[in-house]
Amino acid sequence: MTTPQATGRPETRQDGEWIVFTRHFTAPIEDVWAAVTDSERLGRWIGTWTGDPASGSVTFRMTAEDGMPEEVHHIEACEPPWLLRTRARSEGLDGEDHDWRVEIRLTDDRDGTTLHFGQVLPRPEWAHKIGPGWDYYLDRLVAAETGGDVSGIDFERDYYPALVPVYQQRFPITPQQP
């Protein structure tokens, strides 16, 4: 495996501060869409969901992290095969409940599909902990979809805390005003 890279970048949007990642696949857009929405294919790299998406929410269970509780993800937008936006409410790094909003946008390129993955940062100073995690999961997605060894991707050995300094530079913590 190659050395993992910190690929997340900051993006300011009308609804807050985001961390955004990009991955490219030589696969058609419909195939990449299935990799990020089909429960069985999601299970190969991050987790599975149950429920009826037509109801507006599903229950998501991470399979790559032991002991993580199931979360209800509300579907805010679903426009196959271009856009998926969800929101879950759960405990943040400060012990308080926060909305965790994620967005997946796919673009059809001449030579495949580009995935744009973003998450709103409930607090921008959390990027140094959230960034390495999404690099880890998105690298697992790439491995799962290209025949790589997903089990050989090690979060603690290669991602955290190794990528923390890069994220601390990209997302500097600004002092809070009293």
Side-chain angles (χ1 to χ4, degrees):
M1 180 181 151
T2 61
T3 303
Q5 300 294 310
T7 63
R9 68 184 190 290
E11 187 174 295
T12 300
R13 298 183 184 177
Q14 188 174 14
D15 60 347
E17 296 298 319
W18 287 70
I19 185 168
V20 178
F21 304 82
T22 303
R23 296 293 188 277
H24 187 267
F25 298 86
T26 57
I29 195 168
E30 293 81 11
D31 193 46
V32 178
W33 178 258
V36 297
T37 59
D38 177 85
S39 183
E40 184 177 319
R41 288 184 64 182
L42 273 171
R44 298 187 317 196
W45 63 277
I46 190 169
T48 59
W49 60 264
T50 57
D52 180 5
S55 73
S57 64
V58 296
T59 301
F60 182 75
R61 183 179 68 83
M62 295 192 70
T63 55
E65 292 182 39
D66 292 333
M68 290 293 292
E70 291 183 336
E71 294 180 330
V72 174
H73 279 253
H74 301 279
I75 301 166
E76 295 184 337
C78 183
E79 301 169 16
W82 312 103
L83 171 68
L84 177 64
R85 190 177 311 125
T86 69
R87 175 183 41 83
R89 185 139 186 100
S90 65
E91 187 175 307
L93 301 173
D94 59 359
E96 302 291 323
D97 279 353
H98 294 274
D99 281 335
W100 296 92
R101 296 179 3 238
V102 298
E103 177 181 273
I104 297 170
R105 288 187 179 272
L106 301 178
T107 56
D108 195 359
D109 302 329
R110 289 178 298 159
D111 59 344
T113 304
T114 300
L115 176 140
H116 307 273
F117 178 93
Q119 178 181 340
V120 71
L121 294 167
R123 298 206 174 156
E125 64 268 21
W126 293 352
H128 74 280
K129 291 193 177 192
I130 292 171
W134 282 121
D135 277 319
Y136 165 75
Y137 284 117
L138 294 171
D139 287 351
R140 287 172 55 94
L141 167 61
V142 170
E145 294 305 308
T146 61
D149 180 13
V150 174
S151 66
I153 298 174
D154 188 311
F155 179 71
E156 292 177 6
R157 180 190 67 216
D158 299 323
Y159 292 83
Y160 191 87
L163 301 182
V164 168
V166 177
Y167 282 104
Q168 287 173 326
Q169 285 184 319
R170 284 188 194 156
F171 295 81
I173 298 172
T174 55
Q176 298 290 331
Q177 298 297 322

